[in-house]
Amino acid sequence: MQAVLQVPMESIYTDLPVFAGLAVWNLFVLFVLSKKVYEFALKKGRSANSSIYFSREYY
């Protein structure tokens, strides 16, 4: 069976550190920063629905 894209393995190995860094940053934004923004919006008196919207759209 032939590979469809025929991307060399060296290219994949070269891009792995960049992919790993972006994946870690993405998870940090999802699980840490957006929660902090949500809690901050609640403290400022926004409703729960408004805080959820604000935390999703801010980042």
Side-chain angles (χ1 to χ4, degrees):
M1 191 164 144
Q2 250 184 349
V4 176
L5 296 178
Q6 297 186 6
V7 177
M9 288 303 290
E10 294 81 20
S11 176
I12 294 173
Y13 293 144
T14 304
D15 291 339
L16 270 177
V18 174
F19 171 77
L22 289 173
V24 168
W25 171 251
N26 197 2
L27 291 173
F28 176 73
V29 167
L30 284 173
F31 292 116
V32 178
L33 288 182
S34 61
K35 184 175 181 180
K36 296 289 183 187
V37 171
Y38 171 76
E39 291 170 353
F40 177 76
L42 282 178
K43 285 181 186 177
K44 290 294 183 179
R46 293 187 178 266
S47 68
N49 287 339
S50 176
S51 297
I52 290 170
Y53 176 78
F54 185 68
S55 68
R56 286 182 184 171
E57 297 299 319
Y58 188 68
Y59 287 102

